[in-house]
């Protein structure tokens, strides 16, 4: 690189010895930080500063124009903040550094190459000094007039601790109208941890082929840094993105019973990849990673300071570790069931007294909604909020109408399918599991339909639907039953579409596969005309509800959103530069997901974690999600329209539009409005940067990103034919829309209603502990059932400890953080820097506000009986905006909880 040929160095006033414009060269810079890993950022529209005038100036006498170039004064303002928890750690050394002016070293990088040498122009360097304003630093540069646009700023943190940098603003010649802002919102590590400087690029986005020449090498080096070398254990301050299999859920060294299979990398247990931590392996199983300390997450993926302080970065972990041990002595026995339904109701009225010596203040911080001060006393109780569905109708959970309605407008509206073939048959091997044909006969269905339709006529009219958990669960029945206080069946539930557009459950089949000692058992239950059949029907519904609850949590929620999205995040950070427009489009949709996934591996889905303790699959929970991934997951059908068509809930007309099979299907109706809005936004955005299909196919970063998603992130499905090929703008738009939909609308639909629907646990029990009393027809069980059927139901439901564990967890998981960012609400600074993108986003935001109104109209339309009626909770899970807390509405950009 050519050095500036100055007769003497320029020294800023008051900073003796800090040479500006010197020949100091930067080492290979570290990569740019992710957006919003810390405090919220400002959003302004800026353009790249161009320093373009050139002239001569005399310095200390007559100097020729050939040797001296006019220098322009550029002032930089840095808005920064240390980590709150570390604000006073090692302040002594850092305060001395601030006094000496060695705080943040800034280097300006030109977007242009030197026209004479063809090399990168000399970077201009200055120290930023702390000001009297907390968190603000200022620097002054003398920059050659021919420097050209500043395309990047490198930062070296001279402090001993990391610093969060919100933005860097440059002003040339005191003209504030020329101010340009570099949107940083990232943690900058201490140089004592890593000597590599951080780089923050201009707000203007560039495809690889359009990258300014002065930034090309920096763009490549940044990606190399983010990829790492695949070796060693990752440290907390690092920003390395790499892949690994799920081999860290168990801990056999500490407890042999916590041995769990490795998920991913095998035909038996296919699975998406997670972020590599590089920890050592256990002694008892060299394939399993040791669970030492917290799971590594790249620094910019951590929760923000706001989320840590007001919501709690470790809310789930601390809530379970602090609250549950405190409750165990109060509940006497973990296996204790609720003696009656009024005792369950007491959880929402009287609550559970909390002894003062158990650390109440810590609990109140973790779960403030649930800890109440008893009126006129100093005592505190754990008292749960009344879920909306129980508040509106205390007995709705007991009725068939609500049981059916929730398949369309509940927490898991993704599994109901059109029944297309009869008789119903299993695809499992009958030699292993028993006869394949269902016990649900034509006679049973026609009797229950009671409308003079034959099964064939009902099939042709698309009026029969099925919730089918038979084949996916049947292989696990005997395994689950080997666990204490747990049972399982394979189940099928058939529904009939009434003339009013509602579903009516017709029959439930429960199946136990054959075993070495017993034949296959299966029985069909209907809502019969006598008390015994009516109660057996209620018990069968409880089994189906727990099947649906387990599938929802492990597949519809964890697998299809959290787990399958993580490879997209890793690949995007490894292959798409921060300058890439696709990275900048997707990045808001990846906020906090890796952190919440790491927390889930630590406390939720791990061996003996919350899911294993309180959900029926127990130790087979995540393994079961692996089986579902191998059997059912396809990227193309993660797109909402394709998913609806696949399940027979919609048909595609000749004009390409979708027609819903069930007109009043709230999830599909509202979801398609959100999908169409996202797709239009993606199309407008892509159109700004890609002027042809050839430009998409020729983009090396984009192609590398998608190749890595397929062959590494989802390597166990890399050869499937359904993967889209990104060779046209249309295919790119569809792919981006699918990713954005899964991280926003899909996740919101299955997450933020968890407390509303599961907070009263009999509505969605997470486990059933007893078999149907008619399975073995034991005299003692039948006698108890006939004498007290309600007691039989209570015996089947979760224990007090299981119920309170789940209710507490669902309250936490259903909550919106105060710094939540909703779809269409806030534009990224890089979007505002491009007028056409800014206009497209404003239209997108307007559409999302219109959807709010459409949802309200539907919820107040008495003709739509699946979302409006006596005691019915309005369907608002896909209503775009929300206030903080547990609201049952709101579509955040990302999977942030």
């Amino acid at each position: 690189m050519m050095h500036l040929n100055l007769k003497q160095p320029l020294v800023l006033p008051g900073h003796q010895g800090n040479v500006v414009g010197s020949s100091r060269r930067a080492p290979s810079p570290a990569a740019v930080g992710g957006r919003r890993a810390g405090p919220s950022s400002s959003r302004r529209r800026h353009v790249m500063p161009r320093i373009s005038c050139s002239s001569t100036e005399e310095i200390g006498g007559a100097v020729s124009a050939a040797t001296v170039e006019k220098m322009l004064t550029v002032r930089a303002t840095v808005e920064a903040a240390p980590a709150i928890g570390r604000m006073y750690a090692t302040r002594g050394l850092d305060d001395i550094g601030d006094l000496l002016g060695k705080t943040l070293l800034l280097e300006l990088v030109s977007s242009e190459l030197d026209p004479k040498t063809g090399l990168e122009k000399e970077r201009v360097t200055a120290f930023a000094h702390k000001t009297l304003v907390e968190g603000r630093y200022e620097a002054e540069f003398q920059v050659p007039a021919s420097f050209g646009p500043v395309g990047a700023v490198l930062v070296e943190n001279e402090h001993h601790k990391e610093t969060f940098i919100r933005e860097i603003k440059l002003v040339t010649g005191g003209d504030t109208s020329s101010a340009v802002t570099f949107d940083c919102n990232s943690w900058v590590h201490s140089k004592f941890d890593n000597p590599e400087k951080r780089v923050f690029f201009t707000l203007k986005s560039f495809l690889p082929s359009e990258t300014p020449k002065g930034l090309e090498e920096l763009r490549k080096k940044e990606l190399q840094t983010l990829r790492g070398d695949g070796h060693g254990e990752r440290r907390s301050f690092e920003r390395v993105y790499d892949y690994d299999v799920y081999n860290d859920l168990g801990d056999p060294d500490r407890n042999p019973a916590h041995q769990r299979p490795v998920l991913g990398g095998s035909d038996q247990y296919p699975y998406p990849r997670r972020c590599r931590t590089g920890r050592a392996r256990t002694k008892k199983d060299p394939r399993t990673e040791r669970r030492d300390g917290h799971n590594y997450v790249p620094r910019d993926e951590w929760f923000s300071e706001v989320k840590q302080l007001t919501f709690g970065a470790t809310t789930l972990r601390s809530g379970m570790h602090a609250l549950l041990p405190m409750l165990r002595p109060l509940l006497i026995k973990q296996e204790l069931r609720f003696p009656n339904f009024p005792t369950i109701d007491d959880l929402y009225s009287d609550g559970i007294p909390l002894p003062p010596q158990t650390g109440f203040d810590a609990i109140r911080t973790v779960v403030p909604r649930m800890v109440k001060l008893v009126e006129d006393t100093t005592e505190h109780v754990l008292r749960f909020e009344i879920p909306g569905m129980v508040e509106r109708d205390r007995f709705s959970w007991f009725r068939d109408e609500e049981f059916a309605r929730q398949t369309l407008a509940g927490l898991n509206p993704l599994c109901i399918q059109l029944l297309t073939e009869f008789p119903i048959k299993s695809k499992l091997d009958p030699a292993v599991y028993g006869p394949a044909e269902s016990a649900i006969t034509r006679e049973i269905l026609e009797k229950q339909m009671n409308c003079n339709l034959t099964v064939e006529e009902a099939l042709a009219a698309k009026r029969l639907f099925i919730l089918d958990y038979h084949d996916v669960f049947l292989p696990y029945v005997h395994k689950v039953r080997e666990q204490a206080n747990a049972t399982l069946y394979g189940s099928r539930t058939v529904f009939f579409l009434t003339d009013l557009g509602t579903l009516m459950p017709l029959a439930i089949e429960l199946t136990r596969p054959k075993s070495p000692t017993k034949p296959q058992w299966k029985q069909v239950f209907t809502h019969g005309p006598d008390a015994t059949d009516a109660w057996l029907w209620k018990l069968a519904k409880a089994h189906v509800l727990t099947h649906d609850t387990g599938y929802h949590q492990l597949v519809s929620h964890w697998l299809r959103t959290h787990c399958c999205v993580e490879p997209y995040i890793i690949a995007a950070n490894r292959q798409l530069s921060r300058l890439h427009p696709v990275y900048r489009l997707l990045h808001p949709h990846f906020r906090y997901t890796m952190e919440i996934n790491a927390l889930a591996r630590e406390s939720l889905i791990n061996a003996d974690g919350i899911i294993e303790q309180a959900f029926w699959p127990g130790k087979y929970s995540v393994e079961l999600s692996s089986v579902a991934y191998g059997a059912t997951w396809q990227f193309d059908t993660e797109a909402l329209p394709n998913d609806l068509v696949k399940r027979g809930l919609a048909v595609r007309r000749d004009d390409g539009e979708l027609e819903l099979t069930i007109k009043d299907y709230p999830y599909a109706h509202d979801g398609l409005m959100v999908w169409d809005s996202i797709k239009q936004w993606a199309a407008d955005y892509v159109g700004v940067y890609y002027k042809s299909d050839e430009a998409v196919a020729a983009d090396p970063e984009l192609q590398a990103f998608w190749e890595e998603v397929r062959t590494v992130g989802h390597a166990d499905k890399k050869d499937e034919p359904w993967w889209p090929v990104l060779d046209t703008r249309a295919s790119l738009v569809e792919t981006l829309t699918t990713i954005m939909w899964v991280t926003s609308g899909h996740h919101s639909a299955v997450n933020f209603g968890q407390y509303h629907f599961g907070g009263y646990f009999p509505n969605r029990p997470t486990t059933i502990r007893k078999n149907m009393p008619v399975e073995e027809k034991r005299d003692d069980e039948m006698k108890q059932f006939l004498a007290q059927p309600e007691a039989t139901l209570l015996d089947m439901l979760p224990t007090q400890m299981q119920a309170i564990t789940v209710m507490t967890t669902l309250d936490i998981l259903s909550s919106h953080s105060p710094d939540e960012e909703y779809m269409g609400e806030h534009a990224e600074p890089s979007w505002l820097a491009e007028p056409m993108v800014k206009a497209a986003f404003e239209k997108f935001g307007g559409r999302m506000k219109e959807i709010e109104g459409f949802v309200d109209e539907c919820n107040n339309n008495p003709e739509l009986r699946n979302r409006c009626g006596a005691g019915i909770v309005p369907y608002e899970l896909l209503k775009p905006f929300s206030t903080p807390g547990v609201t049952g509405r709101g579509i955040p950009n990302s999977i942030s909880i």
Side-chain angles (χ1 to χ4, degrees):
M1 179 183 291
M2 178 70 72
H3 295 283
L4 293 176
N5 185 19
L6 299 175
K7 289 288 186 180
Q8 56 188 22
L10 296 176
V11 181
L12 295 181
H15 302 291
Q16 298 299 318
N18 292 344
V19 179
V20 180
S22 70
S23 60
R24 177 170 179 170
R25 297 289 304 275
S28 297
V32 66
R35 176 151 166 72
R36 296 190 190 91
S40 59
S41 64
S42 60
R43 297 175 174 86
R44 302 180 180 88
R45 179 183 173 189
H46 298 287
V47 295
M48 293 173 61
R50 185 173 183 90
I51 305 168
S52 56
C53 60
S54 60
S55 63
T56 62
E57 178 178 347
E58 291 188 353
I59 301 178
V63 180
S64 69
T67 58
V68 177
E69 182 179 9
K70 180 179 179 179
M71 308 300 286
L72 301 179
T73 299
V74 176
R75 291 181 174 83
T77 302
V78 181
E79 298 293 341
I84 292 177
R86 306 175 184 178
M87 190 170 293
Y88 299 104
T90 66
R91 271 315 314 175
L93 291 174
D94 289 343
D95 285 343
I96 294 173
D98 287 340
L99 290 173
L100 296 176
K102 294 186 175 182
T103 55
L104 299 173
L105 177 66
L106 308 183
E107 292 184 6
L108 306 185
V109 181
S110 174
S111 294
E112 299 175 349
L113 297 177
D114 189 310
K116 296 180 179 178
T117 65
L119 301 176
E120 180 183 335
K121 288 184 178 180
E122 182 68 31
R123 296 171 186 171
V124 182
T125 307
F127 278 107
H129 299 267
K130 189 175 182 180
T131 68
L132 295 177
V133 179
E134 181 64 32
R136 180 174 296 171
Y137 296 82
E138 293 180 352
E140 186 174 288
F141 303 85
Q142 296 298 312
V143 183
S146 60
F147 192 72
V150 178
V153 178
L154 298 182
V155 180
E156 180 179 84
N157 179 12
E158 307 284 324
H159 293 121
H160 287 74
K161 293 295 181 180
E162 63 183 355
T163 296
F164 183 82
I165 297 186
R166 295 185 179 91
E167 66 178 23
I168 300 172
K169 184 182 294 184
L170 303 180
V171 175
T172 304
D175 181 8
T176 56
S177 65
S178 68
V180 60
T181 299
F182 287 78
D183 181 60
C184 306
N185 281 286
S186 178
W187 293 101
V188 177
H189 58 265
S190 166
K191 74 172 185 179
F192 300 101
D193 289 328
N194 183 354
E196 287 194 342
K197 297 181 178 67
R198 283 293 310 279
V199 57
F200 297 104
F201 284 113
T202 173
L203 293 180
K204 185 171 177 58
S205 299
F206 296 100
L207 296 177
S209 61
E210 299 169 348
T211 308
K213 296 298 183 181
L215 303 180
E216 285 182 343
E217 288 304 311
L218 202 56
R219 181 172 186 150
K220 294 175 183 177
K221 289 179 180 178
E222 169 213 15
L223 290 174
Q224 291 172 359
T225 300
L226 287 172
R227 293 173 193 145
D229 59 8
H231 299 289
E233 182 174 353
R234 300 268 64 90
R235 293 168 293 179
S236 61
F237 62 84
E238 292 183 315
R239 299 167 50 254
V240 174
Y241 296 78
D242 203 355
Y243 301 93
D244 208 342
V245 294
Y246 278 73
N247 62 351
D248 63 341
L249 302 181
D251 196 349
D253 283 354
R254 290 190 173 93
N255 188 339
H258 288 179
Q259 178 76 55
R260 296 293 180 269
V262 174
L263 304 183
S266 68
D267 292 337
Q268 183 180 9
Y269 298 118
Y271 220 53
R273 301 304 189 259
R274 51 97 174 174
C275 182
R276 178 184 175 275
T277 64
R279 293 181 294 198
R281 303 302 176 91
T282 62
K283 294 178 181 178
K284 292 188 176 180
D285 182 4
R287 300 172 304 165
T288 299
E289 185 175 279
R290 273 213 303 253
R291 292 171 57 83
D292 293 332
H294 295 167
N295 292 321
Y296 164 79
V297 173
R299 186 61 181 97
D300 284 329
E301 306 297 335
W302 290 20
F303 286 167
S304 71
E305 298 287 83
V306 171
K307 194 172 180 71
Q308 289 185 46
L309 293 176
T310 59
F311 175 76
T314 57
T315 294
L316 187 59
R317 182 193 312 118
S318 57
M320 296 305 101
H321 288 183
L323 181 61
L324 298 183
M326 182 187 70
L327 292 176
R328 286 191 176 100
L330 303 179
L331 299 177
I332 305 173
K333 292 175 61 180
Q334 293 188 43
E335 302 81 22
L336 192 68
R337 73 161 172 86
F338 290 91
N340 47 54
F341 280 96
T343 308
I344 299 175
D345 296 340
D346 287 345
L347 295 173
Y348 310 95
S349 54
D350 297 338
I352 302 173
L354 298 179
Q357 68 271 19
T358 52
F360 161 72
D361 289 337
I363 303 304
R364 182 177 55 185
T365 302
V366 172
V367 282
R369 264 175 36 105
M370 289 183 268
V371 177
K372 311 295 182 183
L373 182 66
V374 178
E375 196 170 347
D376 299 326
T377 75
T378 58
E379 298 177 355
H380 294 85
V381 298
L382 180 74
R383 184 188 299 158
F384 291 90
E385 297 284 332
I386 301 175
M389 63 168 293
V390 177
E391 188 175 35
R392 285 173 174 256
D393 185 348
R394 182 181 174 187
F395 300 106
S396 61
W397 67 276
F398 212 53
R399 287 199 288 270
D400 289 355
E401 297 87 351
E402 183 64 13
F403 170 66
R405 189 189 76 86
Q406 287 187 25
T407 65
L408 301 174
L411 191 56
N412 188 32
L414 288 79
C415 291
I416 189 77
Q417 301 177 64
L418 180 69
L419 184 61
T420 57
E421 296 180 355
F422 198 87
I424 305 167
K425 290 185 177 180
S426 169
K427 294 181 173 61
L428 298 175
D429 185 354
V432 176
Y433 299 101
E437 189 161 316
S438 170
I440 299 176
T441 63
R442 176 179 283 100
E443 291 74 22
I444 291 174
L445 293 182
E446 290 177 354
K447 179 181 178 181
Q448 294 298 313
M449 283 190 290
N450 195 27
C451 62
N452 299 319
L453 279 181
T454 66
V455 167
E456 286 74 20
E457 289 170 339
L459 288 173
K462 297 184 177 181
R463 299 186 73 167
L464 290 179
F465 296 82
I466 187 170
L467 197 61
D468 192 347
Y469 295 125
H470 184 276
D471 285 12
V472 69
F473 290 163
L474 209 62
Y476 281 88
V477 168
H478 293 307
K479 294 179 180 180
V480 169
R481 289 185 173 204
E482 291 173 356
Q483 302 178 126
N485 296 309
T487 191
L488 179 63
Y489 295 99
S491 69
R492 298 185 180 102
T493 307
V494 176
F495 300 85
F496 177 73
L497 181 62
T498 70
D499 293 339
L500 296 177
T502 59
L503 290 179
M504 177 176 69
L506 301 179
I508 293 173
E509 177 187 29
L510 299 179
T511 304
R512 180 199 68 202
K514 76 174 189 176
S515 71
T517 59
K518 293 181 180 180
Q520 183 192 70
W521 177 87
K522 55 189 170 188
Q523 186 168 329
V524 178
F525 301 89
T526 61
H527 196 162
D530 64 87
T532 300
D533 284 347
W535 264 105
L536 287 172
W537 168 252
K538 290 177 175 65
L539 300 185
K541 282 199 303 180
H543 279 278
V544 171
L545 285 168
T546 198
H547 299 167
D548 190 65
T549 300
Y551 195 89
H552 157 263
Q553 198 65 266
L554 294 169
V555 181
S556 301
H557 184 196
W558 163 254
L559 174 71
R560 291 180 61 181
T561 62
H562 290 262
C563 186
C564 287
V565 164
E566 187 154 342
Y568 311 151
I569 303 173
I570 299 172
N573 281 279
R574 288 168 56 87
Q575 301 297 341
L576 295 175
S577 167
R578 272 45 177 177
L579 283 168
H580 201 292
V582 169
Y583 177 88
R584 285 173 164 170
L585 176 66
L586 290 179
H587 190 258
H589 298 280
F590 296 158
R591 185 188 186 205
Y592 301 149
T593 302
M594 293 180 74
E595 169 83 347
I596 196 64
N597 286 2
L599 187 58
R601 301 203 319 272
E602 186 178 324
S603 303
L604 197 64
I605 64 171
N606 58 298
D608 203 32
I610 293 168
I611 295 295
E612 289 196 1
Q613 290 179 26
F615 283 71
W616 58 263
K619 68 178 183 179
Y620 301 105
S621 294
V622 187
E623 176 184 323
L624 195 146
S625 72
S626 167
V627 172
Y629 174 73
T632 66
W633 189 84
Q634 295 184 197
F635 179 84
D636 59 334
T637 54
E638 291 302 286
L640 177 60
N642 295 344
D643 172 61
L644 295 172
V645 170
K646 178 184 178 181
R647 291 191 283 123
L649 271 298
V651 293
R652 206 176 293 278
R653 301 195 307 242
D654 292 340
D655 61 1
E657 295 296 316
L658 286 187
E659 182 176 339
L660 293 179
T661 309
I662 300 175
K663 308 303 180 188
D664 182 16
Y665 183 3
Y667 163 73
H669 175 270
D670 296 358
L672 286 172
M673 287 194 296
V674 174
W675 169 273
D676 290 341
S677 182
I678 295 173
K679 188 170 185 177
Q680 184 61 58
W681 158 234
D684 291 344
Y685 188 93
V686 166
V688 171
Y689 295 101
Y690 293 95
K691 302 305 181 184
S692 66
D693 292 341
E694 291 74 18
V696 173
D699 183 340
E701 286 186 7
L702 180 68
Q703 297 303 323
F705 157 68
W706 195 238
E707 177 75 6
E708 191 166 287
V709 166
R710 181 177 67 84
T711 63
V712 184
H714 286 275
D716 300 329
K717 287 183 174 275
K718 62 183 176 63
D719 297 321
E720 297 288 353
W722 36 256
W723 283 104
V725 177
L726 300 190
D727 55 359
T728 65
R729 285 178 292 181
S731 64
L732 176 57
V733 168
E734 180 78 6
T735 298
L736 295 176
T737 305
T738 300
I739 294 174
M740 291 191 286
W741 159 255
V742 170
T743 59
S744 59
H746 178 155
H747 180 258
S748 296
V750 299
N751 184 76
F752 293 107
Q754 289 190 87
Y755 190 79
H756 280 61
F757 288 102
Y760 186 75
F761 70 90
N763 182 61
R764 293 190 67 80
T766 58
T767 187
I768 292 292
R769 300 182 298 124
K770 303 289 184 181
N771 297 337
M772 291 290 289
V774 295
E775 180 184 334
E776 300 295 343
K777 295 186 178 179
R778 289 172 46 183
D779 290 342
D780 56 339
E781 291 181 351
M782 287 301 296
K783 184 177 180 179
Q784 178 187 343
F785 166 64
L786 293 172
Q788 290 184 303
E790 181 179 314
T792 299
L793 176 58
L794 287 165
D795 282 341
M796 294 168 61
L797 291 176
T799 65
Q800 293 187 34
M801 197 69 221
Q802 288 173 325
I804 291 174
T805 297
V806 170
M807 292 162 66
T808 305
T809 303
L810 296 186
D811 188 271
I812 294 170
L813 296 181
S814 301
S815 183
H816 289 294
S817 175
D819 69 339
E820 199 87 271
E821 294 184 359
Y822 299 95
M823 290 287 284
E825 184 178 41
H826 296 301
E828 295 290 291
S830 62
W831 303 346
L832 299 178
E834 172 54 61
M836 294 179 65
V837 173
K838 178 177 180 290
F841 180 80
E842 289 173 348
K843 292 178 182 177
F844 174 54
R847 290 194 299 270
M848 299 305 285
K849 290 183 175 66
E850 289 178 357
I851 290 174
E852 288 255 313
F854 292 147
V855 170
D856 287 339
E857 287 181 16
C858 292
N859 286 333
N860 287 285
N861 184 349
E863 297 299 315
L864 302 178
R865 291 173 172 83
N866 290 320
R867 61 196 306 162
C868 181
I872 289 179
V873 176
Y875 187 77
E876 297 184 322
L877 290 174
L878 290 171
K879 196 171 180 179
F881 305 104
S882 174
T883 54
V886 181
T887 64
R889 66 176 70 94
I891 307 177
N893 287 324
S894 64
I895 303 165
S896 58
I897 183 59

